[in-house]
Amino acid sequence: MNNPITDIYQGWVISVKAEKNMCANFSFDITSPSGYTQHVAMGGENQRRAVERAREMIDMEIALLEEE
């Protein structure tokens, strides 16, 4: 998988790409509806896990925003 895959989750964009880094085989970027992007170099051992981890991170970001 050379091309990144993208997904939309709760209005956020997830971009996952194959990128070996230590024990991870995939990295991901999450981009908020306002355009702020965060990169996670060690996204997961497979594509599915990287997407799951990105969604968990988005859920956490949304929860933190709701607390403010």
Side-chain angles (χ1 to χ4, degrees):
M1 180 178 105
N2 293 336
N3 295 329
I5 62 129
T6 58
D7 188 26
I8 305 288
Y9 179 71
Q10 296 202 34
W12 293 58
V13 177
I14 300 169
S15 179
V16 176
K17 70 177 183 176
E19 182 176 38
K20 194 150 183 70
N21 187 357
M22 298 169 102
C23 62
N25 295 319
F26 290 84
S27 66
F28 65 83
D29 295 321
I30 59 171
T31 304
S32 72
S34 66
Y36 178 72
T37 299
Q38 297 179 62
H39 177 73
V40 176
M42 295 175 55
E45 59 278 356
N46 57 50
Q47 178 182 339
R48 180 188 56 80
R49 183 62 185 125
V51 171
E52 287 174 354
R53 196 166 276 152
R55 288 179 176 189
E56 291 167 0
M57 192 168 167
I58 290 168
D59 288 340
M60 185 173 58
E61 290 290 333
I62 291 170
L64 289 172
L65 288 172
E66 289 173 351
E67 286 182 6
E68 292 180 356

